[in-house]
Amino acid sequence: MITAPLALENVTKAFKDGEQYINILEDISFTAEKGKFTAVIGPSGSGKSTFLSIAGALLTPDQGEVFVNSQSIASYKDKKLANVRLTSIGYIFQAANLVPYLKVNEQLKLVAQMKGDWDREAKQRLGQLLESVGLKARVNYYPHQLSGGEKQRVAIARAFMNNPDIILADEPTANLDQARSDEIVALMAKEVKEKDKAAVMVTHDESLLKYCDTVYRMEQGKLIKGR
Amino acid sequence: MFSLALKEIRFFKLKYSLIAFILFLMASLVFIVSGLAQGLSNDNIAALEDMSVARFYLQEDAENRLDQSGYIIDELEEEIPREAGWQPLLTQMYRLDAASSETLLDVTLIPIDPEAFLYPGVIEGQNLTDSDALEIVADQTMKADGVEIGDTLYEADQDLTFTVVGFTENQTYRHSPIIYVAESAFYNLDLTPHQVANAIVIEEVNQELQADINQVLNDGDWVEKDAIIQAVPGHSSEQMSLMMMIAFLIVIAVFVLAAFFYILTIQKLNQFGVLKAIGAKNIFLVGATLLQVFCLTMISLILATGFTIFVSNILPEGMPFEFDLSLIASYSIIILIVSLLGSLLSSTRIVKVDPQQAMGRTE
Ligand SMILES: Nc1ncnc2c1ncn2[C@@H]1O[C@H](COP(=O)(O)OP(=O)(O)O)[C@@H](O)[C@H]1O
Ligand SMILES: [Mg+2]
């Protein structure tokens, strides 16, 4: 019985490169525990995003199992996968990827509505989330009126909005300067601890690792513990 | 779903207004051309359509044209009483001089038994009576030429003076108004030594009567009203060319709209990927897109209907334009379906978007 919110078992993924298949992920096993903030580092092209996509039900592995809240999602079809993403996983991408025509509060409202869970409690949660990411004063702003750091804060709040057990972030600070990066990752770490989430962040900024509990390195298709 | 669709329209006002505007122009054009087609058609065949006649008996070589057929019906009158269910139909083209109009007015004169089924009745003024006085009831379109109840209309060739006693509606034929005169008054003029008719008409199908009449006249066929209408000079060609225009407009609309929605969708594929990554289902995204198109089209159709009403009001009086709400409603439904189909085409692209692209993979 798997108790961790997220577990990968013997996952392998290959992509076609020209004529031949290359194993990007080779027999990877990994678990993310509640309340733990894990970092994955590694050179560009080493397969970090691929790993995170598989962990986040965006991509299916060639071999191996992925467990989200102890459910194996390997056999899930598109619609069920979408549901897993909607309810169990919160994403923070490299670009904030906000919906350009929605105001800050509407960005969060949207995911709650898609889940069919827009009630008083959700409204309260929205208020609290925006408060804790420091955007209380920006609720009625459109994305184009926000700075890069502010957008990423909205993305963080959005990731937490449906109260998922898993938070995944793929290079969330790649577009930010050092001070902003520190701020954003510190905020993520705080939220992860406070809300007891299992979080995985891919980054190549080693100065951010001080916020994380565990560090893995992606190298030649393997995930190796330690820096 | 609904709010997402509307919020996007709210935010990208200019983009969506332009699309709505093009939809509006297209719909207006369809509505106006169809109004014109309807108006022209009315002008040409309204009286026939309104006539409570089931079958027409015309000469075989008349090619279903009333003006090409003619009978002397003295014998028929003697053999079969009209009470059996038939009436003669005689149409005569006249040019009348009215005090109110500088030009002569083209009319179709129909002598009629005011008690029989052919007589349409008036909407204003008095009905015809079986008198010998040259009283007429005229189609109300003659009001546009300034004709009023009590006016006299003069026919120069035979030196006839008609008095208008009432107005009828929908009594136009071959782009001219019909004036009805009592048969008694008409034959009192002694213009013909015989009783004449272009066609014999019956109100209801009656095989026996039809066979009897055929026996007596012995030169003709019983044809349905629709065949007579199609054979009215100009009717088919007018309607056909206008219908062609409408059909082409709608085909053009299909392509223009499909192209628009396709471009819109392509522009947003990345965004759809992100939404999918955070858990949006295909049905939600396609639904929001269709809803958006539905709203845009509805707004455009409502504006176009308003514009068509406006146009029908500023068009000059005599212009054959008919504002027909049920016609507009049916074209609206077609346009709505067409635009939904157009956007459905690009929806396949939405379904195909890979949510993983939100990760922004490095190549
Ligand atoms: N869908 C795909 N098709 C083909 N090759 C892919 C695909 N996704 C990723 N790759 C390849 O897999 C490798 C790892 O990619 P990625 O996981 O994005 O690396 P990272 O995030 O560590 O920079 C790269 O060489 C990339 O080109
Ligand atoms: Mg990457």
Side-chain angles (χ1 to χ4, degrees), chain B residues 157-179:
Chain B
D157 287 351
Q158 344 249 356
D159 189 27
L160 306 174
T161 305
F162 299 96
T163 309
V164 180
V165 298
F167 284 113
T168 58
E169 67 177 347
N170 288 334
Q171 297 302 315
T172 48
Y173 173 62
R174 301 188 61 176
H175 301 299
S176 62
I178 291 176
I179 62 174

Side-chain angles (χ1 to χ4, degrees), chain A residues 48-49 94 170-171 202, chain B residues 359-362:
Chain A
K48 304 183 297 297
S49 294
Q94 180 172 333
D170 191 6
E171 312 211 20
V202 164
Chain B
M359 286 283 186
R361 96 169 213 258
T362 50

